[in-house]
Amino acid sequence: MKVAASISELELARSELMAGATPPVIAYVPTMGALHDGHLSLVRLARGIADVVIMSIFVNPLQFGPNEDYAKYPRTLERDLKKAKKAGVDLVFTPTVAEIYPAGRQVSVKAGAIGEVLEGAFRPGHFDGVLTVVLKLLNIVRPSVAIFGRKDAQQLACIRRMVRDLNVDVDIVGAPIVREEDGLAMSSRNRFLSPAERASALVLSASLRAAAQEPAPAAALAAASRLLTVAVDAGEIEVDYISVVNGTTMAPLPDDYTGPGLAVVAARVGTTRLIDNIELVFPGPERP
Ligand code: AMP
């Protein structure tokens, strides 16, 4: 496995991997490191569809607010490189902040309305930061396919929207959420949870599973809210939002909606902020 710490090293390693009669398909997996099985499932998916798998590990300062956990975000590069190699990554790009954001940079991407609701309402500018780095990384890596986890459903929707609105020449693939056995969605931030907080955090996935049992958006929202409220009243979590939305636009679903939807939740457990979501299908009334 090759490791490139700068754009010029990336260029060199990329052209070596591309050498051959037929240009190979490159699949790209962007990450912020602290790799877990969720990230590695993206690599497995990439391996299945491409000849060359490139991963990046870059904690993007632009997507963290001033009071967020940028400084504290876990950085475990040596361990990450071992995991990436074992999972079959061909090339890992590990740029510095100065390499990605040289002094004097001015132009950035704005997510627009899709980036201002839900996560965007609680983390102003977050998706502008995500889209700016993703577009830069796509331009540097130049893959045919880029793979993102459905764990970050709004991020995936924003990226799909950017690719469409800015005619970015890449196929975006969304990968299923990988969970711990007890239902907790895997996240680099789970390591910050104490054993008691980790137990409290299970209410997020439990509330989403409850939502998925319901036949219509309002009932789904009510079912999830009921469980979350118990945990809030017990002082175990603080909920930022719970909503039932269209997975493409992130707009709330009206109650007469039928078809696929998404229940999304964000909550703080102690000082750790967690997000999760579940795909729902609202079947509509049965026909006689
Ligand atoms: P991050 O390192 O948190 O920026 O995540 C990098 C990529 O891994 C993103 O596309 C995430 O959506 C994806 N990812 C993170 N956690 C999971 C998970 N539990 N299951 C599937 N994908 C995930």
Side-chain angles (χ1 to χ4, degrees):
M1 184 182 75
K2 297 171 190 286
V3 180
S6 65
I7 295 172
S8 56
E9 285 176 26
L10 186 276
E11 275 299 320
L12 189 66
R14 185 187 185 281
S15 57
E16 283 169 9
L17 288 167
M18 291 290 283
T22 44
V25 174
I26 297 182
Y28 173 42
V29 179
T31 80
M32 298 204 298
L35 299 182
H36 51 64
D37 285 348
H39 297 113
L40 301 179
S41 77
L42 272 50
V43 173
R44 272 194 294 279
L45 210 160
R47 274 260 68 99
I49 55 180
D51 309 294
V52 172
V53 177
I54 301 181
M55 169 187 276
S56 58
I57 297 177
F58 179 64
V59 184
N60 174 33
L62 226 57
Q63 71 188 67
F64 289 80
N67 299 317
E68 294 182 2
D69 57 352
Y70 174 69
K72 175 181 149 189
Y73 198 84
R75 290 162 173 87
T76 59
L77 186 60
E78 288 312 310
R79 247 179 296 161
D80 289 352
L81 293 179
K82 285 195 189 114
K83 287 184 185 179
K85 183 173 178 185
K86 201 162 156 219
V89 174
D90 297 299
L91 168 59
V92 183
F93 181 39
T94 59
T96 61
V97 171
E99 182 86 358
I100 296 297
Y101 300 120
R105 187 189 65 90
Q106 293 190 14
V107 179
S108 59
V109 181
K110 266 198 92 54
I114 192 174
E116 285 162 11
V117 295
L118 303 170
E119 281 299 283
F122 286 88
R123 306 183 69 186
H126 170 67
F127 290 112
D128 299 348
V130 169
L131 294 187
T132 299
V133 82
V134 167
L135 186 59
K136 284 174 70 82
L137 290 168
L138 288 172
N139 286 335
I140 293 166
V141 174
R142 304 195 306 284
S144 320
V145 183
I147 300 170
F148 295 86
R150 299 209 285 264
K151 157 84 177 4
D152 298 279
Q154 190 175 6
Q155 168 174 284
L156 178 59
C158 288
I159 290 166
R160 287 191 192 284
R161 186 77 204 207
M162 172 178 77
V163 163
R164 199 177 92 190
D165 287 356
L166 301 184
N167 303 83
V168 185
D169 187 15
V170 67
D171 288 330
I172 301 297
V173 171
I177 301 177
V178 177
R179 298 179 179 281
E180 304 286 355
E181 253 172 47
D182 57 9
L184 182 68
M186 288 191 186
S187 161
S188 303
R189 291 183 171 101
N190 288 351
R191 71 191 64 205
F192 296 133
L193 298 169
S194 70
E197 288 170 349
R198 200 193 167 295
S200 302
L202 290 178
V203 73
L204 272 75
S205 51
S207 71
L208 296 173
R209 287 196 302 276
Q213 302 302 313
E214 300 296 334
L221 186 59
S225 302
R226 257 195 307 277
L227 285 184
L228 291 169
T229 302
V230 174
V232 170
D233 291 347
E236 294 181 358
I237 65 168
E238 286 174 276
V239 176
D240 279 352
Y241 60 80
I242 168 80
S243 192
V244 177
V245 300
N246 175 314
T248 305
T249 63
M250 294 292 140
L253 293 177
D255 202 36
D256 59 356
Y257 173 87
T258 60
L262 203 62
V264 288
V265 65
R268 279 161 289 129
V269 188
T271 55
T272 307
R273 189 169 179 283
L274 300 175
I275 61 170
D276 199 354
N277 69 85
I278 197 167
E279 288 165 23
L280 314 167
V281 179
F282 298 114
E286 276 183 32
R287 293 199 184 85

